[in-house]
Amino acid sequence: MDPLAFALNPADYGLPTRDELVAYRIWDTHFHGFNATTDPLGQFHANNLYVRRMGIERSITLEAGGTLRAPLEPAPHDAEMRALLVRERSWLSGITPIDPGFPDESCAKMEAWIRHGPCIGIKYVGGNRRGIPCSHPNNDPIIRLAAELGATIYIHTWLKVGGTPRAPGRGNLPGESTPQDVVALARRFPDVRFICGHSGGDWELGVRSVRAQPNVLLEFAGSDPHSGAVDFAARELGADRLVWGGHGPSRSYATELAKVLESDLSPADRRKVFGGNFRRLAAPILRRQGIPFEP
Amino acid sequence: MNPAPPLPRRRFLRQGAAAGAAAMLARAASPAPAPAAPPGIIDTHVTLFRWPFRRLKYDATPALVAKLRRHRITEAWAGSHEALLHKDLAGVNARLAAECRAHGDGLLRPFGSVNLAWPDWEEDLRRCQEEHRMPGVRLFPGYQTFDLTHPDLGRLIQLTAERGLIVQIVFQLEDPRVHHPLLSLPVIDARPLVPLLERTPAARVQLLHFAGNVAGTDLRALVDRTNAWFEFSRWEGNGRLGQLIQPGPGGARPPVPAARVLFGSHAPYFPVETGLLRLFESPLDAETLHALMHRNARRLLPA
């Protein structure tokens, strides 16, 4: 059986064919293909079947250099990761995780992995040892350097309900940023664009939080697919501020593609969300890093 | 020897599609019987009426039915969101039956609900079958303030087995991290179900939106020791559906027999497209797809 062929025709079920998925030019800006604790490279290779089946044009890993669990500690597969990002640059890119609790070390890592390495951006992971969210003023050197490099800035955000009394965000991990943290940071850097990750987890509140801050884009991977969520975000923010991520392999491409395919967005707006918006955001760093791409 | 330079990504993707198209053309060139119509899908998990915490895009039944039809869903087993919080389950079930008759367009089959925490649930069960001709009932533990250790659960399973009714048990409707702060629901443990189903092998019980615990021990026990059925709306992760139902390396037994897995969309809370895309994301052959799409459901509930 051809591993890329579908046994039935998706069009018969109101779905895009594989050719139509390819035509959307899907860039997965939230790829967790190297997040396994035991064999990250094995996980990456195993996941490629699904990347190809679902017609993903480019995968952008968020764990290039170190790991999400310990962003500033070298990982055993770092050298292989660097080589892979160069060798497969026609379809694979890297974003390197940093830790806002350690701004100097984070900047050093950005020098190594972006200025002198293959990566195109940074990621604030979900929580950190010192409990420092992205809004903390000590972060500012990180953002200044990212702006200088033209690096994309992705910030994991959630609003986990918890605490006493229960409220959204009170269940977050120490240092796990909220959409409100992103907005506070973005106000200090109005000429820099930020990606608010996971739509804040709770998209109804996340969209409201970032609505008035035009230099904040919204990415909505890694949460359950809620019918109507992308329509709501597009209505409130405009399709130009939405960025798609796959979050695989822990999330299913089916889950993340469905969020957009169910929406009432026009085909042109779908193409923006699936990749066009991110390509526009990342174009300077893609060119600087010599990554071939069509805008 | 230097390795071949990497293909530009889009060309690589097109090449893959072209290979698929070439295979299709080759198949088309050989004599073959006229293609059968694509199979319809039986969706075993849709829910009508208002979700208590926001309007859903397809929460009006005619819109939901039209949406399901657009995706070749030919039958849908429908519960009611009203059953989560209402106390008058008889009223909930009567409205569900009427809604399916009035707007179901021949597609919806109503699954009423009983709430074990409310008195005289047996009468609700009787009405579901005898007055509304429902093929089964759907339970919402957690929201309905009981869990699977409730002392009446064994009796409900016994009664439904005697009546030939299906019991659907919903394990989760919404990610607890985004619950309304007023909600504080327990995680529903499936393990108490295992001995109950062992004692009642004739019971027809389907678990909805169930992924199992991290270790997989509850899923394994349900597969090995009971006749429970499953739907896959909660089976998250790239290729997860295929990984759970297809033999592993060396022909290892799959975690869940494909014959006990049914299509469930969890619409209109989830987009219908999510479940449909899962069918295509995993490399499944046509025989398996037919089983998941309709044959297994038809074995559980004849037309």
Side-chain angles (χ1 to χ4, degrees):
Chain A
M1 182 176 161
D2 177 355
L4 297 190
F6 296 142
L8 298 175
N9 184 359
D12 289 331
Y13 297 91
L15 298 176
T17 63
R18 186 174 176 282
D19 284 348
E20 288 167 336
L21 287 173
V22 170
Y24 276 127
R25 300 199 55 212
I26 301 168
W27 281 34
D28 177 1
T29 70
H30 195 137
F31 178 51
H32 281 311
F34 299 89
N35 201 26
T37 50
T38 50
D39 183 12
L41 291 160
Q43 180 189 48
F44 164 72
H45 290 297
N47 187 68
N48 279 342
L49 167 66
Y50 307 106
V51 173
R52 297 172 67 198
R53 269 184 79 78
M54 304 311 278
I56 309 297
E57 181 173 301
R58 179 173 292 275
S59 300
I60 301 165
T61 175
L62 300 176
E63 48 248 6
T67 61
L68 298 184
R69 292 165 289 282
L72 301 179
E73 291 175 18
H77 59 283
D78 275 355
E80 201 157 353
M81 169 71 85
R82 271 180 180 262
L84 196 59
L85 289 173
V86 173
R87 191 170 67 242
E88 304 294 349
R89 67 181 182 281
S90 65
W91 67 277
L92 180 69
S93 296
I95 282 173
T96 195
I98 53 92
D99 184 339
F102 298 87
D104 292 342
E105 292 84 348
S106 293
C107 287
K109 190 180 183 200
M110 292 163 67
E111 293 284 350
W113 281 87
I114 302 175
R115 194 190 301 275
H116 303 296
C119 284
I120 63 168
I122 58 171
K123 178 191 182 178
Y124 284 73
V125 300
N128 52 65
R129 269 193 293 159
R130 287 189 169 167
I132 302 292
C134 70
S135 56
H136 195 285
N138 286 2
N139 272 263
D140 289 4
I142 296 174
I143 303 303
R144 279 194 290 272
L145 179 56
E148 180 197 329
L149 296 169
T152 61
I153 303 166
Y154 176 94
I155 302 172
H156 163 108
T157 69
W158 260 89
L159 285 163
K160 294 171 186 163
V161 70
T164 308
R166 284 163 63 79
R170 287 195 179 157
N172 280 15
L173 298 167
E176 187 171 25
S177 297
T178 64
Q180 293 89 330
D181 286 313
V182 177
V183 169
L185 178 63
R187 281 190 184 134
R188 299 205 296 269
F189 293 92
D191 297 327
V192 177
R193 286 192 288 174
F194 299 83
I195 299 175
C196 176
H198 302 298
S199 59
D202 185 324
W203 52 271
E204 288 174 283
L205 301 180
V207 167
R208 294 169 64 91
S209 302
V210 306
R211 183 163 53 191
Q213 194 62 38
N215 56 330
V216 175
L217 287 76
L218 193 81
E219 181 263 6
F220 44 87
S223 54
D224 279 352
H226 292 173
S227 175
V230 168
D231 289 320
F232 178 80
R235 213 164 39 239
E236 294 295 326
L237 308 180
D240 288 349
R241 286 175 64 187
L242 304 184
V243 174
W244 187 83
H247 206 282
S250 55
R251 286 278 176 178
S252 155
Y253 290 133
T255 292
E256 301 299 342
L257 292 170
K259 293 175 181 176
V260 178
L261 296 175
E262 185 239 22
S263 75
D264 296 329
L265 293 183
S266 68
D269 280 345
R270 287 182 181 189
R271 283 193 291 275
K272 285 182 185 174
V273 175
F274 273 138
N277 290 340
F278 185 84
R279 284 190 291 277
R280 204 168 67 244
L281 174 74
I285 187 87
L286 291 168
R287 291 196 186 96
R288 175 192 170 122
Q289 300 292 57
I291 293 170
F293 75 104
E294 296 170 33
Chain B
M1 192 174 85
N2 290 329
L7 288 172
R9 178 61 174 166
R10 297 190 66 202
R11 185 150 63 87
F12 165 74
L13 286 166
R14 287 191 198 110
Q15 188 180 58
M24 285 172 62
L25 285 172
R27 282 195 294 274
S30 57
I41 295 174
I42 298 174
D43 186 343
T44 65
H45 185 186
V46 306
T47 314
L48 306 188
F49 301 119
R50 300 280 175 86
W51 171 245
F53 302 99
R54 67 170 171 271
R55 291 300 304 269
L56 302 180
K57 189 171 179 179
Y58 296 103
D59 63 12
T61 305
L64 177 63
V65 168
K67 172 76 175 164
L68 295 173
R69 284 210 186 284
R70 282 202 293 280
H71 295 284
R72 203 176 281 273
I73 288 166
T74 53
E75 180 176 317
W77 303 356
S80 171
H81 281 134
E82 290 185 341
L84 303 185
L85 303 175
H86 286 219
K87 293 173 185 166
D88 174 20
L89 268 293
V92 167
N93 293 332
R95 283 191 293 279
L96 175 65
E99 185 77 355
C100 290
R101 273 196 310 274
H103 301 295
D105 194 22
L107 184 143
L108 299 178
R109 299 184 80 171
F111 276 62
S113 189
V114 300
N115 186 337
L116 300 181
W118 303 157
D120 199 24
W121 56 263
E122 294 90 339
E123 175 61 10
D124 291 322
L125 183 69
R126 186 194 70 75
R127 293 186 197 184
C128 281
Q129 183 177 44
E130 296 178 13
E131 295 186 5
H132 304 308
R133 305 294 170 200
M134 292 171 172
V137 291
R138 186 176 293 177
L139 311 183
F140 299 91
Y143 286 92
Q144 292 185 327
T145 73
F146 64 87
D147 64 20
L148 301 187
T149 63
H150 193 284
D152 282 0
L153 183 58
R155 191 165 129 69
L156 171 72
I157 288 171
Q158 181 64 40
L159 284 176
T160 53
E162 289 168 6
R163 287 176 171 273
L165 291 170
I166 296 166
V167 179
Q168 295 185 316
I169 303 176
V170 184
F171 277 76
Q172 198 182 59
L173 288 165
E174 183 173 63
D175 182 340
R177 295 175 297 177
V178 299
H179 276 168
H180 191 285
L182 287 176
L183 275 186
S184 186
L185 302 179
V187 174
I188 301 302
D189 183 353
R191 288 173 297 181
L193 203 53
V194 174
L196 298 178
L197 297 185
E198 281 181 309
R199 281 205 296 275
T200 318
R204 292 187 296 160
V205 173
Q206 184 192 8
L207 283 68
L208 305 189
H209 215 56
F210 174 75
N213 56 29
V214 174
T217 51
D218 50 359
L219 180 62
R220 173 56 68 195
L222 285 159
V223 166
D224 288 350
R225 293 165 53 190
T226 80
N227 299 318
W229 302 67
F230 306 89
E231 58 90 338
F232 57 75
S233 64
R234 187 69 269 172
W235 292 2
E236 185 60 86
N238 277 336
R240 185 69 177 151
L241 172 59
Q243 291 153 13
L244 282 175
I245 65 171
Q246 290 180 311
R253 187 174 63 129
V256 186
R260 288 163 62 182
V261 179
L262 286 62
F263 181 91
S265 71
H266 190 19
Y269 187 91
F270 275 14
V272 180
E273 287 87 343
T274 308
L276 295 168
L277 284 162
R278 285 202 208 299
L279 294 169
F280 291 95
E281 179 186 85
S282 291
L284 303 174
D285 60 31
E287 197 60 28
T288 305
L289 287 171
H290 277 261
L292 298 173
M293 286 171 156
H294 61 99
R295 283 187 189 142
N296 293 344
R298 195 47 83 223
R299 284 195 293 119
L300 179 59
L301 177 58

